Amino acid sequence: MHNIAKMITEQLRNPNELDISLRMEFGPFETIHKWKRMSECYEFVGARRSKHTAVAYKDAIYVFGGDNGKSMLNDLIRFDIREKSWTKTGCMGSPPAPRYHHSAVVHRSSMFVFGGYTGDILANSNLTNKNDLFEYKFPNAQWVQWKFTGQEPVPRSAHGAAVYDDKLWIFAGYDGNARLNDMWTCNLVGENHQWEKVEQKGECPPTCCNFPVAVARNKMFVFSGQSGAKITNALFQFDFETHTWSRVCTEHLLRSAGPAPARRYGHVMVHHARHLYVFGGAADSTLPSDLHCYDLDTQMWSVLQVATDSQVPSGRLFHAGAVVGDAMYVFGGTVDNNVRSGDLYRFQLSNYPRCTLHDDFGRILKSQQFCDVTLLVGAEETPVLAHQAMLAARSQYLRTKIKESREELLRRIEAGEEEPTEFSYKSQPQLVVRLPEATPEAFRMILNYIYTDKIDPTEKDEDPASPATMLLVMEVLRLALRLKIPRLRGLCARYLRANLCYGNVLQALHAAHQANLSCIKEYCLRFVVKDYNFTPIVMSAEFEQMEQQLMVEVIRRRQQPPAKLPAAAQHDSEEEIIGTNLEQDMCVFVTSGGAELADVRLRVGFSLRPAHRSILAARAAYFEAMFRSFSPQDNIVNIQICDTIPSEEAFDSLLRYMYYGDTNMPTEDSLYLFQAPIYYGFTNNRLQVFCKHNLQSNVSPDNVVAILQAADRMRAADIKEYALKMIVHHFELVAHQDSIRTLAQPLLVDIICALAEEPRHDTPLPLHPRSLPSSSSGDTLADEDYIRYRTNRS
């Protein structure tokens, strides 16, 4: 058994997403998602301002230009991240003329400033847009103006700028008469300084200005901005390699995602890790102070919940932002009553490895490994394979059907009508559930939602509003009602409302009438009888072919529209998304109700925990390889992590993570689970990162000796090293504890060596480092680290 376990442990699922060299770091650390007000830039250093730029270079923020409400500026001020102080930056050469709404980017060791609006705003004279380009060389603090030959971009302000492939890219802006959406580029290396106009393809954003851009994954992202009547809250991406624009469209995905930020202008957007962050701006005459986050992996927007002790900046526009390390810095801007700000705020970003719960469950559905139930769908009884645990966790209706089928199967076995079968990786499921009321295509979509919390109804037809797609979603909605999945019901209703149009409304009305979907039928009727819809719809050929009863309903509704719904009822009619998501359903399943469907038991010490093969195999390569290789005796699996048997409490924390992605756990559990992602072959090291942060935040002089002993016993070298550092830095406190008097001699020697090797600090570090570190390790594993790891294990 031990040799088999060792073999299984070597089968890491995705080593590129596992950082096996993850190290403990010594605090203090800043709380994740916390706003903190930094040193204000006082007038003797630089004026309060808006419409300026801010860039990051090494450990500093550089702010250039803007206006102070009376005049334009062209000073360059610097905030030192380590010293937490502002200074004026000296320079050689001639700086750009005072300006605002320019752009600034960093390439190698230089800052490039392009365009902007210049002149005397107080006297309203010499006001003009510029198309000049200046380089500021950080090493020698020198300004140089670039000279060009050939064609050049028209002078502009409030544009977007980015650096990619050693080139400067300029997009859109305002030329003094109209908003633009052209794009230009020039090489930032070499002696040949020429502008080149970029021929853009695809779905280009509307002409716009006062928008930010961010570069991530070989693409430039543009969000909202001032576009006149075309202003939108759409997110666009530009592929630098193909010169193609596309709108990041996710409306066709039925899933539990938050809405995009309200349309706005004068905001900032920065990129960090796999996220885009949007803060501030003017959103329909308001200045919101919430922070929005867009996940590039999941393509989902969310509003970040900031730490409770945050010093949240007030809403503002025409401010500037930059990222240094693991933090976003926001400076200046225009706040209420047109007041300029000189405040600087720091926001602690996160770099957690992504949660793979939905991906892992989706993968096991697609692979059809370890399926233990066959569903016979529709009148023709089309077979569909699935897993009892997933179906029962997400649908009370399916749980009841599974229970009935299990009881019927047991009766047949006891009566000798059927032979019981042992579990086999390749065997067909013995349990059968019939669903004659479902159609195969719609049920497969619902099955995908059960496993991943989302479905895409446009897989066959890319048009989300095509009649075929609408009818399919209608059928999914009917099944969601039947299977008692309220959240999917709400998502389908929202999708149908969003895509209802002249071309599909009558078919949708007919289908809703036939399926007795009163909420959708009502919405279709209201759509048809609106003044600007009614005439073209009733004059269409499709209306002539409608059944008489629906024709009568439409005419009567037009003649006698119902009374206007009260506000509360009107809100209800909008199909608010209610119900539980995947994580919530799996949480309830593992804590109550899932034991009756357990097909394996996990032994931890002297206790047994019921579990489910399909869930364990989906989440961990260790269990996937085990169940493919053999069936454990008596369906009992002995649990250990490396050479250590975890506590029951720690293993319960591990099960919560495997079933529904929970990462909250006591500090002592983190110690046991620190190596679990490597040992069990999780998709990435998300759990390990949370364990690391938990330990870093909560190891104290009071418990550090116990942590040292446990780390030594578990052979967790990085945690042991961290504990030794803590002892060294707080030796006066630790030395007088009773626990150190009973410490084993080898550990006492380790402490003495640590004291000798590390110089003492005059000022002790904080006893309780703040939670969560400057860098959360990243998901990528260097090849040499992985080779070293595999060599050490063999």
Side-chain angles (χ1 to χ4, degrees):
M1 176 68 182
H2 178 74
N3 291 334
I4 294 174
K6 183 177 179 181
M7 175 271 293
I8 292 172
T9 304
E10 295 294 333
Q11 300 184 32
L12 300 182
R13 169 159 291 155
N14 190 355
N16 288 330
E17 292 207 34
L18 282 164
D19 183 2
I20 58 176
S21 62
L22 184 66
R23 306 293 296 176
M24 300 292 290
E25 301 171 27
F26 203 64
F29 304 113
E30 193 61 81
T31 304
I32 210 73
H33 291 170
K34 177 183 176 180
W35 282 107
K36 185 176 182 180
R37 191 172 186 268
M38 309 300 289
S39 301
E40 183 179 353
C41 183
Y42 293 105
E43 293 291 334
F44 67 86
V45 175
R48 300 182 178 190
R49 67 192 68 203
S50 68
K51 309 184 187 86
H52 52 285
T53 54
V55 300
Y57 179 69
K58 294 188 175 179
D59 290 325
I61 302 287
Y62 290 83
V63 174
F64 174 76
D67 83 85
N68 61 7
K70 297 179 181 179
S71 60
M72 298 184 187
L73 308 170
N74 70 338
D75 57 340
L76 182 63
I77 56 177
R78 178 181 185 271
F79 179 78
D80 189 288
I81 302 299
R82 296 182 182 275
E83 299 296 330
K84 297 181 174 61
S85 62
W86 287 96
T87 56
K88 290 183 177 180
T89 301
C91 63
M92 297 186 296
S94 299
R99 64 190 62 205
Y100 64 65
H101 281 329
H102 51 285
S103 62
V105 295
V106 171
H107 176 256
R108 299 185 181 177
S109 59
S110 294
M111 174 177 69
F112 289 86
V113 173
F114 174 80
Y117 196 56
T118 185
D120 188 340
I121 56 177
L122 192 61
N124 196 29
S125 62
N126 300 320
L127 298 175
T128 182
N129 285 303
K130 304 290 286 184
N131 65 350
D132 47 8
L133 180 65
F134 287 82
E135 177 183 5
Y136 178 80
K137 300 179 179 180
F138 290 110
N140 57 11
Q142 182 181 17
W143 283 104
V144 176
Q145 182 176 3
W146 282 35
K147 301 298 181 182
F148 291 91
T149 59
Q151 60 178 349
E152 297 183 44
V154 298
R156 67 191 66 205
S157 57
H159 53 280
V163 169
Y164 179 80
D165 191 28
D166 290 328
K167 293 180 180 180
L168 172 65
W169 303 73
I170 300 297
F171 173 68
Y174 183 68
D175 67 0
N177 296 307
R179 300 182 184 93
L180 310 168
N181 68 347
D182 58 341
M183 183 178 290
W184 296 76
T185 185
C186 73
N187 280 313
L188 297 178
V189 295
E191 300 299 325
N192 185 17
H193 296 170
Q194 283 188 323
W195 284 102
E196 177 186 353
K197 188 172 184 179
V198 178
E199 295 300 325
Q200 304 170 80
K201 296 178 290 185
E203 188 177 0
C204 188
T207 55
C208 57
C209 60
N210 288 320
F211 59 91
V213 302
V215 176
R217 302 182 177 182
N218 303 324
K219 293 179 174 61
M220 178 173 70
F221 290 86
V222 169
F223 174 73
S224 204
Q226 284 181 294
S227 304
K230 297 180 180 179
I231 185 170
T232 174
N233 66 342
L235 179 67
F236 290 86
Q237 63 181 13
F238 176 77
D239 190 309
F240 286 108
E241 302 301 327
T242 63
H243 294 179
T244 303
W245 283 101
S246 59
R247 187 168 75 90
V248 181
C249 177
T250 58
E251 291 88 345
H252 60 289
L253 296 176
L254 296 180
R255 59 182 181 177
S256 307
R263 60 184 189 176
R264 62 192 62 204
Y265 67 90
H267 49 295
V268 298
M269 179 169 68
V270 300
H271 166 246
H272 176 70
R274 67 175 191 276
H275 297 117
L276 301 177
Y277 295 89
V278 172
F279 174 74
D284 292 334
S285 302
T286 65
L287 296 178
S289 60
D290 48 3
L291 182 62
H292 295 263
C293 176
Y294 180 78
D295 191 314
L296 293 166
D297 286 340
T298 64
Q299 295 185 309
M300 294 174 67
W301 283 103
S302 61
V303 178
L304 290 183
Q305 300 298 314
V306 301
T308 54
D309 56 344
S310 286
Q311 298 168 304
V312 181
S314 60
R316 59 195 61 213
L317 75 160
F318 301 140
H319 45 296
V323 173
V324 179
D326 60 350
M328 175 179 68
Y329 292 83
V330 171
F331 175 71
T334 302
V335 294
D336 287 339
N337 299 319
N338 209 28
V339 174
R340 269 59 173 175
S341 170
D343 296 335
L344 177 69
Y345 288 87
R346 180 187 191 275
F347 182 77
Q348 179 67 45
L349 301 167
S350 64
N351 191 19
Y352 293 137
R354 61 192 176 88
C355 178
T356 63
L357 185 74
H358 303 74
D359 295 340
D360 292 343
F361 288 156
R363 181 175 56 249
I364 200 168
L365 170 65
K366 186 176 181 180
S367 69
Q368 295 194 337
Q369 292 187 97
F370 312 110
C371 291
D372 54 9
V373 59
T374 300
L375 299 117
L376 301 179
V377 181
E380 297 182 1
E381 296 195 338
T382 303
V384 177
L385 299 179
H387 305 89
Q388 296 178 45
M390 295 300 301
L391 300 181
R394 304 300 315 269
S395 167
Q396 184 60 49
Y397 178 86
L398 290 175
R399 178 182 290 197
T400 301
K401 297 285 286 185
I402 289 171
K403 183 178 179 181
E404 292 172 353
S405 297
R406 286 167 67 98
E407 291 172 351
E408 173 63 18
L409 177 61
L410 181 61
R411 185 196 65 76
R412 290 173 60 84
I413 291 174
E414 290 176 347
E417 300 174 11
E418 192 166 342
E419 291 292 327
T421 60
E422 291 289 332
F423 171 81
S424 170
Y425 168 63
K426 296 183 178 181
S427 64
Q428 288 294 313
Q430 191 172 15
L431 189 71
V432 174
V433 173
R434 287 176 170 79
L435 296 174
E437 67 274 27
T439 59
E441 186 178 10
F443 182 75
R444 286 193 176 95
M445 294 186 70
I446 285 186
L447 204 59
N448 198 62
Y449 176 84
I450 285 174
Y451 283 75
T452 68
D453 241 13
K454 69 177 181 180
I455 55 177
D456 181 1
T458 65
E459 287 180 334
K460 290 186 177 180
D461 189 339
E462 293 184 359
D463 181 8
S466 71
T469 302
M470 295 288 282
L471 294 178
L472 177 59
V473 175
M474 198 92 68
E475 177 62 18
V476 172
L477 171 57
R478 186 187 68 80
L479 276 179
L481 286 166
R482 177 74 171 175
L483 301 181
K484 297 180 180 178
I485 310 177
R487 195 171 191 87
L488 179 57
R489 169 186 175 273
L491 291 171
C492 289
R494 186 170 68 182
Y495 180 95
L496 292 168
R497 290 197 312 272
N499 291 286
L500 210 59
C501 63
Y502 295 125
N504 60 35
V505 64
L506 294 180
Q507 288 174 289
L509 175 61
H510 180 266
H513 175 70
Q514 294 294 323
N516 198 27
L517 299 174
S518 57
C519 62
I520 301 302
K521 180 180 177 181
E522 176 64 24
Y523 197 85
C524 290
L525 286 171
R526 290 176 179 271
F527 182 92
V528 170
V529 301
K530 287 180 179 178
D531 291 340
Y532 47 83
N533 293 337
F534 183 74
T535 300
I537 289 176
V538 298
M539 296 298 291
S540 66
E542 290 81 3
F543 186 78
E544 294 179 9
Q545 300 172 5
M546 281 186 64
E547 59 182 88
Q548 184 178 2
Q549 180 182 350
L550 282 178
M551 276 189 177
V552 171
E553 284 194 58
V554 169
I555 300 301
R556 286 177 176 171
R557 178 62 65 91
R558 174 67 176 178
Q559 294 300 116
Q560 289 185 330
K564 190 174 182 180
L565 294 173
Q570 201 167 20
H571 179 70
D572 292 340
S573 70
E574 288 299 307
E575 295 294 338
E576 180 182 359
I577 306 301
I578 59 174
T580 50
N581 59 22
L582 175 63
E583 289 82 358
Q584 292 167 330
D585 286 339
M586 296 307 294
C587 174
V588 172
F589 183 70
V590 74
T591 54
S592 61
E596 63 180 2
L597 295 180
D599 54 3
V600 67
R601 290 178 294 170
L602 307 176
R603 177 183 285 141
V604 185
F606 298 101
S607 299
L608 291 174
R609 298 286 192 277
H612 309 83
R613 278 187 175 89
S614 56
I615 306 296
L616 300 177
R619 296 286 277 153
Y622 178 97
F623 290 111
E624 179 184 349
M626 173 185 289
F627 298 141
R628 289 181 63 170
S629 301
F630 65 94
S631 183
Q633 186 175 0
D634 299 326
N635 288 325
I636 294 176
V637 178
N638 294 315
I639 294 299
Q640 64 184 56
I641 300 175
C642 299
D643 296 327
T644 303
I645 297 175
S647 67
E648 294 180 28
E649 294 77 11
F651 187 70
D652 287 340
S653 292
L654 181 62
L655 277 183
R656 291 196 298 272
Y657 176 79
M658 294 178 70
Y659 273 76
Y660 56 95
D662 181 51
T663 53
N664 296 315
M665 66 194 75
T667 306
E668 52 271 23
D669 291 1
S670 298
L671 181 61
Y672 282 107
L673 302 182
F674 188 74
Q675 299 294 344
I678 306 300
Y679 185 80
Y680 283 109
F682 291 167
T683 305
N684 64 13
N685 65 334
R686 178 178 174 85
L687 177 63
Q688 190 181 30
V689 169
F690 277 93
C691 290
K692 168 181 179 277
H693 294 174
N694 198 359
L695 288 166
Q696 288 173 164
S697 304
N698 297 298
V699 175
S700 67
D702 295 331
N703 62 18
V704 68
V705 174
I707 296 293
L708 175 66
Q709 290 175 301
D712 182 69
R713 185 171 62 253
M714 296 176 63
R715 299 177 186 175
D718 36 16
I719 301 178
K720 179 179 177 180
E721 179 184 350
Y722 179 76
L724 287 170
K725 287 184 178 181
M726 172 71 79
I727 292 173
V728 168
H729 283 278
H730 299 289
F731 189 71
E732 292 84 353
L733 294 173
V734 177
H736 297 290
Q737 296 177 6
D738 292 337
S739 57
I740 205 165
R741 300 177 187 276
T742 59
L743 205 58
Q745 184 179 3
L747 290 178
L748 287 172
V749 173
D750 288 336
I751 293 175
I752 293 172
C753 292
L755 285 166
E757 292 174 0
E758 186 166 339
R760 298 299 306 281
H761 292 268
D762 295 334
T763 304
L765 295 180
L767 299 184
H768 298 284
R770 304 310 296 265
S771 65
L772 303 191
S774 55
S775 173
S776 59
S777 94
D779 302 327
T780 306
L781 171 65
D783 292 340
E784 59 269 20
D785 291 336
Y786 182 51
I787 295 170
R788 184 173 64 253
Y789 163 73
R790 296 297 292 267
T791 304
N792 293 338
R793 291 191 60 87
S794 59

